[in-house]
Amino acid sequence: MSSKKGFSRRGFLQGAGVGGVLGTGLLEREAEAAPAGAAIAGPGAVPITLTINGKPVNLTVEPRVTLIDALRDYVDLTGAKRVCDRGTCGACTVLMNGKSVYSCSVLAIDAQGKSIETIEGMTSPEKMHPVSQAFWENDAQQCGYCTSGFVVACKGFLDEHPNPTEEDVKHGLGGNLCRCGTYMGVRAAALQAAKQMKGGKNG
Amino acid sequence: MANTPDYSWPPMGQRKVIGQRVKRLDGPVKATGRAKYASDTKPSGMLYGAYVACPHAHAKVTSVDTSEAEKMPGVKAVHVMAPAGTEIQWQGWEVAAVAALTEMQARDAARRIKVAYEAMPHLVHEEDLSKAGANARKGSEQKGGDADQAFQQAEAVSDGQYGFPVITHCCLESHGSVVQWQGETASAWPSTQDVTGYAGQLAASLKIPATNIKVQMDYVGGGFGSKFSPGAWATVAANLSQKAGGRPVRLFLDRQMEQTIAGNRPSAFAKIKIAGKKDGTITAWDSASWGSGGFQPGGPPPQPYVFVNIPNYRRVHTGVSLNVGPSQAWRAPGNQAASYLTCCAMEDFAAKIGMDPIEVFRKNVNYAQPAFQERYQFQLSKAAELAEWKKLWHPRGQSGAAPVKRGLGVAVGTWGGRGHASNCRTTIHPDGSVLVEIGTQDLGTGTRTIITQVAAESLGLPVGAVKLEIGRSDQPRDGASGGSSTVGGVSTSTRKSAVNALEKLFEAAAPALSALPEQLEAVDGKIQVKGSPAKSLTWKEACRKLGTASIAEMGSFNGRNDGAGLSSEGAAGVQIADVSVDTETGLVSINRYVAVQDCGTVINPKLAESQVYGAIIMGISTALFEERIMDRQTGHMLNADMEFYKLAGIGDVGDIVVHMDIRPENDSKGVIGLGEPPAIPICAAVGNAVANAIGVRVAHLPMTPEHVLNTLEGRNA
């Protein structure tokens, strides 16, 4: 008897569109925030354009598709991972307008008009970003599943904090989790990358 | 028939590549997001799968109606695993699955499958044995010596209660696979710890020949013991694929199911009494333990641990069957619990007689297996030195009047780590290129790197001159990566294979050097006459002597005796936790954590240290934060996510000091696995440090504010 149990974003958007039928405070706020006559996206798939790694990418996705799923399943950019699926672990981290975001917690349609940088745009095995290089040199990866998120979060952090202390690193990268236990390497990598990004003007 | 080649490792001081801190070879693809995991795989035409999971902890399925789901948009296949009549034993049990064009469509359709259940009584808690009823199964008592007499005559007796909760593996890549099943053939891209065993296991359930199943896995996002078997999951994906006309299906557990059913470490509770003398000598052990590995209760952790020869003992264990997801092997199965129970009870005995626990450990080290006694003495000293034990340790509870109390705790661990059976093929081509192939997997332990280092060392080449391929079922068979068996297995088979191939190259090159093959050696990219390095060919010149025929030589290891001392078993370690406990908030923080660890011949110290760091960080996470929380009423796991099932973050683990015990007497043992050994003592060391800080034993892990404050206030946790 579970057919009505699941709460879908489709229902959410429909509810919001007709003025908060579901009646929660959140939905009422969303409805109030929407300008009169605003176009309602969905519930079916809609064409969207995302700016990913500097290039426009046209997709057709349902409005409830998250940015991480759009990247992984529609664009085949699989560096960012979906792990906790609810904004806890940071494995899905990408940069949006230069800031780290959990891409599992951003809808793809809401990422339109914003500059999205994924790990694929930031670095490559042939031309490693200093953060990737520092992760390699300090062995800041084991299974590697969290590593993409950590590398992107580290770049986002260092862009805003070019001279971090180790305590700053512990705080700034506290939004990413690793199960293999690579934190010692990550701490050293972040501090090394900070030096190299300044020295090499490579950020 | 020529004599058996000398496979033994070069002496410690003469190694060129082995022993070097080579950066892991898959670092660049991992640090740039290019490593493709099974969950990143997207073969042409792939469908997305979703499960229907049972919401009851114990129930009988009375009907399953898939008709509505089958009509949903995008749906290509529906498969029922638990038809009417199935008795379900835990929440999250997989009842049915759907494959559709998108993941959202699959989830929508799964929600439309109507399953009716008849709920049945369940039990999901085992801490209170008196409430377990018929689910508790008491084993027979084991006795040795005369425990009764030893306790009567003892100068001191300590007793305590200890609790070690269920924790989940929480692999970041959940369990699952992409499977394509077309008639008599199948392809699988699984997330597994056993690439070459996978086809055989899947073949049994698909009833097609294992030779018709291709398995490939380049990278795996964590396993820790929970990914040995395809389980039912690959079979479900295969059935969906078959029903969808042979299109590949990606089917992975979502995070909630991963936490609920994909693997956990069994619990262990115990009441333990120790008898002994006031000089620290232990004379008797008495333990009554209980725990659960799920519906199958599982056995006891080995007790007493390490100090196995305590002459007088009595122990009994009760297994409890619960309606919860099944346990899986967890990085050193049984040993973490065993170390926790034994080392905590010994620390309590030390506190009882007012003695330094390191001295008590020393005093009783003759109860350890003879091969370990000297090593433990050395490692206890080394760890104490690195942790500044003499300066920082104080008798239990004498930690000053300030609300934040500092304490130190010690614990020990041991593990076999013998290599598994392994086969390797080394191919040397006439152009000088070298290919090494093993059907193994790199869990992130650095397997790729160490195989390549062994091959390069053996051939006198740099690491970059050796190409390695792993991760496929059509490669020479290796074993499952579990029990720290991989490094011993693959390094032994690789060494043998490379030496065998080199013998063939010597035969081809010898005439040009006017020498006999057995007079040649491979050094620094040259094939040269031993003792006359001027008489040499470059590697490429030597390989050209092969004409058009490549060399392809196998190396095999039976998993028992390699005949050359390349690998063996028996690692030991001592660890010390230095913690601070805020007695007002109950918060425990790690100041410093010291590990002294041996593992025989170290092929790559950088990667070996990473293994120890990783094991300790994972262990600190379990000691401070991790606990599966079950709801008595619904039988649900309440923290089946990564927000309330808390893992340690980068700021939670303190400073970690790793000392690899690579003395020549350890190096001479050959390669011994390192995945499990350092993962064993952490809970015990942290638990003992907390007791040392606050003056009283916090019985139950994890050392959360709740448990610490309950203990300080004298409440039952």
Side-chain angles (χ1 to χ4, degrees), chain B residues 89-377:
Chain B
Q89 296 292 357
W90 53 81
Q91 178 235 342
W93 185 294
E94 312 88 317
V95 174
V98 177
L101 293 174
T102 70
E103 188 179 354
M104 290 298 187
Q105 289 173 332
R107 288 190 190 181
D108 287 346
R111 280 198 286 267
R112 300 298 179 96
I113 293 179
K114 296 190 182 81
V115 186
Y117 303 94
E118 180 188 316
M120 300 165 78
H122 61 252
L123 181 74
V124 296
H125 279 270
E126 77 284 37
E127 307 88 41
D128 186 349
L129 207 48
S130 69
K131 292 181 181 161
N135 288 38
R137 292 156 206 172
K138 192 170 186 176
S140 57
E141 188 177 89
Q142 296 173 313
K143 287 164 85 167
D146 189 339
D148 287 334
Q149 190 185 38
F151 274 97
Q152 278 163 16
Q153 295 174 354
E155 293 172 14
V157 173
S158 65
D159 65 298
Q161 183 165 334
Y162 312 92
F164 188 80
V166 171
I167 61 172
T168 69
H169 291 69
C170 197
C171 303
L172 295 198
E173 182 181 39
S174 66
H175 285 63
S177 54
V178 179
V179 180
Q180 181 165 27
W181 185 12
Q182 297 171 301
E184 284 295 298
T185 64
S187 296
W189 296 266
S191 182
T192 183
Q193 294 178 235
D194 187 9
V195 165
T196 43
Y198 198 90
Q201 295 181 60
L202 188 56
S205 61
L206 303 192
K207 298 188 171 52
I208 61 174
T211 47
N212 290 9
I213 300 178
K214 281 187 192 166
V215 180
Q216 179 175 350
M217 186 193 71
D218 294 328
Y219 302 96
V220 54
F224 314 112
S226 69
K227 288 183 179 167
F228 290 130
S229 152
W233 300 308
T235 307
V236 176
N239 276 292
L240 288 170
S241 171
Q242 174 101 327
K243 289 182 176 181
R247 291 176 74 162
V249 173
R250 182 197 288 175
L251 185 64
F252 280 79
L253 300 181
D254 64 19
R255 181 52 50 183
Q256 185 186 11
M257 286 182 79
E258 177 72 18
Q259 293 295 80
T260 308
I261 65 167
N264 58 66
R265 184 185 73 180
S267 61
F269 300 84
K271 292 175 180 171
I272 300 172
K273 286 196 293 180
I274 288 180
K277 300 180 188 169
K278 289 195 169 154
D279 70 355
T281 306
I282 291 173
T283 55
W285 169 278
D286 183 339
S287 61
S289 57
W290 68 100
S292 179
F295 187 64
Q296 303 291 338
Q303 299 162 78
Y305 184 64
V306 171
F307 303 89
V308 289
N309 293 320
I310 292 174
N312 307 298
Y313 64 89
R314 180 168 54 217
R315 54 182 182 246
V316 65
H317 181 80
T318 303
V320 184
S321 171
L322 294 181
N323 299 107
V324 295
S327 65
Q328 300 278 353
W330 213 101
R331 203 168 184 175
N335 281 240
Q336 299 181 356
S339 178
Y340 183 72
L341 299 179
T342 297
C343 295
C344 290
M346 285 179 66
E347 153 85 32
D348 284 349
F349 177 73
K352 182 87 181 184
I353 59 170
M355 197 167 161
D356 179 337
I358 285 191
E359 294 310 315
V360 172
F361 278 45
R362 283 189 187 290
K363 191 85 189 171
N364 294 287
V365 93
N366 56 332
Y367 292 141
Q369 301 290 6
F372 290 93
Q373 295 175 6
E374 181 279 332
R375 243 184 302 165
Y376 278 126
Q377 292 287 15

Side-chain angles (χ1 to χ4, degrees), chain A residues 64 73 82 137 139 145, chain B residues 24 39 42 108 606 610:
Chain A
R64 57 180 172 164
D73 294 339
R82 193 177 84 189
E137 288 176 6
D139 206 32
Y145 212 70
Chain B
R24 72 174 61 228
S39 51
K42 196 178 177 186
D108 287 346
K606 187 184 186 84
S610 284

Side-chain angles (χ1 to χ4, degrees), chain A residues 129-131 155 158-159 193-203:
Chain A
H129 187 280
V131 172
K155 177 181 186 291
L158 293 177
D159 285 345
K195 278 189 201 151
Q196 285 169 350
M197 283 166 72
K198 275 179 299 185
K201 294 189 170 44
N202 224 343

Side-chain angles (χ1 to χ4, degrees), chain B residues 376-546:
Chain B
Y376 278 126
Q377 292 287 15
F378 171 84
Q379 293 179 351
L380 283 164
S381 300
K382 191 72 196 173
E385 174 198 324
L386 292 169
E388 298 177 275
W389 182 275
K390 283 206 169 82
K391 181 176 138 198
L392 297 174
W393 183 82
H394 51 74
R396 179 178 283 192
Q398 293 181 22
S399 44
V404 177
K405 319 277 190 194
R406 189 171 185 176
L408 269 64
V410 64
V412 297
T414 182
W415 186 256
R418 180 175 288 281
H420 57 224
S422 177
N423 300 280
C424 173
R425 178 167 53 229
T426 300
T427 303
I428 302 175
H429 290 291
D431 68 353
S433 59
V434 176
L435 174 66
V436 174
E437 298 165 280
I438 309 184
T440 190
Q441 50 278 320
D442 187 340
L443 307 190
T445 49
T447 305
R448 277 187 176 83
T449 312
I450 62 101
I451 294 171
T452 309
Q453 282 183 262
V454 168
E457 174 81 44
S458 304
L459 300 172
L461 293 172
V463 161
V466 175
K467 181 180 178 183
L468 173 68
E469 291 190 354
I470 64 170
R472 295 202 316 266
S473 55
D474 58 358
Q475 291 162 338
R477 188 183 168 87
D478 191 60
S481 287
S484 301
S485 65
T486 306
V487 66
V490 299
S491 60
T492 301
S493 66
T494 302
R495 174 70 174 174
K496 290 190 165 188
S497 164
V499 169
N500 290 345
L502 193 61
E503 296 270 308
K504 297 287 179 187
L505 184 62
F506 288 161
E507 286 172 20
L513 290 165
S514 306
L516 296 169
E518 54 269 30
Q519 293 173 313
L520 301 184
E521 61 182 355
V523 180
D524 295 338
K526 286 182 297 200
I527 303 299
Q528 64 190 30
V529 178
K530 284 178 203 167
S532 311
K535 292 175 72 180
S536 71
L537 296 170
T538 67
W539 176 264
K540 284 202 166 187
E541 286 166 351
C543 292
R544 271 200 290 273
K545 304 296 178 196
L546 297 171

Side-chain angles (χ1 to χ4, degrees), chain A residues 3 64 72-73 78 81-83 88 123 132 136-137 139 141-145 148 179-180 183 187, chain B residues 24 30-31 33-34 36-37 39-40 42 103 108 111 168-169 255 606 610 614 626 642 648 650 654:
Chain A
S3 65
R64 57 180 172 164
R72 290 179 56 81
D73 294 339
T78 57
K81 307 293 191 235
R82 193 177 84 189
V83 172
T88 307
T123 180
S132 296
W136 187 27
E137 288 176 6
D139 206 32
Q141 68 272 290
Q142 286 192 28
C143 87
Y145 212 70
S148 295
R179 189 43 153 166
C180 300
Y183 297 138
R187 287 182 198 169
Chain B
R24 72 174 61 228
K30 285 180 173 171
R34 298 313 199 278
K36 286 279 184 188
Y37 298 75
S39 51
D40 299 330
K42 196 178 177 186
E103 188 179 354
D108 287 346
R111 280 198 286 267
T168 69
H169 291 69
R255 181 52 50 183
K606 187 184 186 84
S610 284
E626 295 184 44
M642 290 175 65
I650 191 169

